[in-house]
Amino acid sequence: MKNGEALRNWIAPKANPNILVSVLRSLSIFVGGILVGGVMALTLTPALRSRQPVVTASNLPIPIDYRATNTGTSDGRPADAGNNIVLGDITTVPFQELYGLLSTLSPEQRMQLAQQLKNLPPGKETTAKIAIFFKTWAQLDAKAAMTAALSFKTLETMTAAINSVIEGADATTAAALALSINEMPPGALSLGQKSDFLGKAVTKWGQVDPTAAAKFLDSIGSDGPNFIGAWRSVAENWAAFDPAAALAWIDGHIDAKNTKFVVSAAVRAYYENDPRAAEAYVSSHVDQPGHQQLASLIADRIWKDDPQRAKDWVSQLSNVDARRYGNHSIAMQVASTDPQAASEWAASLSEAERGFVINAAVGAWARKDPQAAAQWLSGLTGTVRDEAISSYSIRVAAQDPTAALTWASSVSDPATREMSVQRIVVSWAKRNPGEAKAWIQKSSLTDVQKTHLTNSLRSR
């Protein structure tokens, strides 16, 4: 039986015109698909056989094309297509599309595109193109992208390229990027540039291998303020699995002025994994430089679960500065919902511990309800009154400088009184110098004090 007869015999018994139309439509689509596929195969086969991908503006969704300056090959591909790629405006292209295109190009072709970017005139458009190109390239080959980025001649373009490589690179390649930057010849980068780029690369490196990143930081010294970010990242990631080693590294390698910024990151990670051990560490290290502020971090964490235990923990700290930091954190927690209770609790602390604790509590109350706070101040006496009034007067000065100065002038301690009055007058003079000077002359201050205040305004 012929194929046509078999098909008719299969259809005929149904005798349903709708089914017949559906079957014929399906057959036509099937046959059409075969024909289109054959045409596409004939079209694409020469390109697939070539060593380099054929990239033209017509078959890619982004502005990049091969341009020929000589006769093309027999298959229609430009003879110098591998060496003459023209890059258009890639800033309008979605990242995934650009990534897909660059992944089809050879390393030489990507380097050629980078060379084109180097030759563009400086400006915002060029910087934007460099940024998206190098960020994308870094996901494919971060080392090659960094090599090209380091060869840019102007500060603006080099900065854009290197930052984009670091941003786009996977964390596992950050070590190689840091080494590339560090090995640049003297004078190629300023100290500030080198510190900035190294800091960013090592920050990313610390996410996957903080131990090695720490050793690298140790090997290059501590120059450059941007290493603080790298130190913090390394310390935090390291402390997440080996807090003892991370904290020992901080104590032995981070200078005193930066310790407080770095150790807080490590202790934060430490607390997430072992709260009681982190509490014990802080309690036993509060006398070390840069460790006093850790009391604020721990008190804040404990407060969320047990407010009374937070107060008890702070009270047992041996260092008075640490107690101040811890109590300040507690005062701010209480003041967020009940500034009166926070102020009253702060006033109950010893003079050695009060310090900026009562300042924070009364300041919060003065912002929320200045009348109620003022009434409470009237019942205070002694040193705690001076401390509370000093804070209160500064907070209400912007709304009512005259009332603020009346309060500040009532402070009993001469040094505290003079400081409070001067701060308010100077601030007032910035907004309305005439009114501030008039108040000075009409006030009950001594002639010496008036002269001193007036001169302080002239010197600013």
Side-chain angles (χ1 to χ4, degrees):
M1 181 184 295
K2 295 181 180 179
N3 291 337
E5 292 177 345
L7 180 61
R8 285 194 296 273
N9 289 338
W10 184 83
I11 297 173
K14 304 297 180 181
N16 187 323
N18 291 331
I19 295 176
L20 178 61
V21 170
S22 177
V23 171
L24 292 175
R25 182 183 294 114
S26 299
L27 285 172
S28 65
I29 293 173
F30 177 72
V31 173
I34 293 175
L35 292 174
V36 172
V39 173
M40 291 180 66
L42 291 173
T43 303
L44 295 175
T45 297
L48 294 174
R49 285 198 303 265
S50 64
R51 295 183 62 186
Q52 301 288 356
V54 178
V55 187
T56 67
S58 62
N59 63 14
L60 283 170
I62 62 177
I64 181 172
D65 195 8
Y66 288 112
R67 302 291 173 81
T69 55
N70 55 9
T71 305
T73 60
S74 59
D75 61 6
R77 179 173 176 267
D80 62 348
N83 298 312
N84 192 24
I85 309 175
V86 177
L87 188 65
D89 184 9
I90 59 174
T91 59
T92 60
V93 181
F95 175 83
Q96 290 299 329
E97 293 181 5
L98 182 58
Y99 179 90
L101 170 67
L102 294 186
S103 66
T104 68
L105 302 181
S106 68
E108 293 77 14
Q109 289 173 318
R110 295 177 196 142
M111 194 64 74
Q112 181 189 340
L113 292 177
Q115 183 62 43
Q116 288 185 32
L117 291 171
K118 286 176 61 177
N119 295 332
L120 292 177
K124 291 184 178 180
E125 290 186 7
T126 295
T127 302
K129 290 180 180 179
I130 289 171
I132 185 63
F133 178 81
F134 277 87
K135 182 179 179 180
T136 309
W137 188 6
Q139 296 219 352
L140 291 164
D141 189 345
K143 293 181 182 179
M146 180 59 76
T147 299
L150 292 171
S151 67
F152 275 78
K153 302 302 181 184
T154 69
L155 174 61
E156 181 181 4
T157 54
M158 184 198 304
T159 299
I162 295 177
N163 281 332
S164 298
V165 172
I166 296 172
E167 181 181 355
D170 186 88
T172 57
T173 65
L177 300 184
L179 292 172
S180 296
I181 297 169
N182 194 48
E183 291 171 359
M184 288 195 70
L189 295 171
S190 69
L191 178 61
Q193 292 171 318
K194 189 172 183 178
S195 296
D196 182 34
F197 297 145
L198 274 176
K200 291 175 180 177
V202 176
T203 294
K204 182 166 283 190
W205 183 3
Q207 296 172 6
V208 293
D209 193 351
T211 306
K215 291 180 180 179
F216 175 77
L217 285 171
D218 293 341
S219 71
I220 61 176
S222 58
D223 293 331
N226 289 296
F227 284 144
I228 292 177
W231 287 330
R232 284 179 58 86
S233 176
V234 168
E236 184 173 10
N237 286 288
W238 197 354
F241 64 89
D242 192 350
L247 292 166
W249 172 69
I250 294 170
D251 292 340
H253 297 86
I254 307 300
D255 56 86
K257 69 178 181 180
N258 291 311
T259 293
K260 62 183 179 181
F261 301 111
V262 182
V263 74
S264 61
V267 170
R268 186 177 294 109
Y270 194 3
Y271 191 90
E272 293 300 321
N273 292 317
D274 193 342
R276 292 305 177 99
E279 293 171 19
Y281 170 82
V282 173
S283 295
S284 62
H285 288 75
V286 289
D287 291 323
Q288 289 188 215
H291 285 63
Q292 291 76 35
Q293 290 177 318
L294 294 174
S296 178
L297 187 155
I298 297 297
D300 184 69
R301 294 295 193 277
I302 298 175
W303 177 271
K304 294 176 181 178
D305 297 321
D306 190 339
Q308 185 56 51
R309 196 172 79 80
K311 293 180 179 180
D312 294 341
W313 182 82
V314 172
S315 67
Q316 57 82 41
L317 296 175
S318 60
N319 184 282
V320 65
D321 288 329
R323 293 200 299 275
R324 288 197 194 103
Y325 281 114
N327 285 329
H328 179 269
S329 179
I330 292 172
M332 294 308 296
Q333 290 281 3
V334 179
S336 65
T337 57
D338 192 345
Q340 179 176 349
S343 299
E344 292 173 348
W345 174 74
S348 71
L349 297 173
S350 69
E351 184 176 348
E353 296 179 24
R354 259 190 329 259
F356 55 84
V357 180
I358 194 167
N359 185 295
V362 173
W365 195 3
R367 285 191 295 271
K368 186 174 183 179
D369 191 347
Q371 288 76 27
Q375 186 176 358
W376 177 75
L377 289 174
S378 300
L380 298 177
T381 59
T383 305
V384 67
R385 178 182 183 276
D386 286 353
E387 293 171 350
I389 288 177
S390 179
S391 174
Y392 175 85
S393 60
I394 292 296
R395 294 302 183 277
V396 300
Q399 289 73 37
D400 192 347
T402 301
L405 284 165
T406 300
W407 276 106
S409 299
S410 72
V411 171
S412 58
D413 178 70
T416 304
R417 180 176 62 246
E418 183 177 351
M419 180 187 67
S420 299
V421 169
Q422 181 169 334
R423 287 176 62 186
I424 295 170
V425 170
V426 169
S427 177
W428 191 6
K430 291 179 180 178
R431 304 189 304 273
N432 195 321
E435 290 184 0
K437 292 177 181 178
W439 180 89
I440 294 173
Q441 298 306 316
K442 294 178 182 179
S443 71
S444 59
L445 297 173
T446 66
D447 290 341
V448 174
Q449 290 172 328
K450 290 179 180 180
T451 301
H452 176 71
L453 266 179
T454 303
N455 290 337
S456 68
L457 296 181
R458 290 172 181 169
S459 63
R460 295 176 185 273

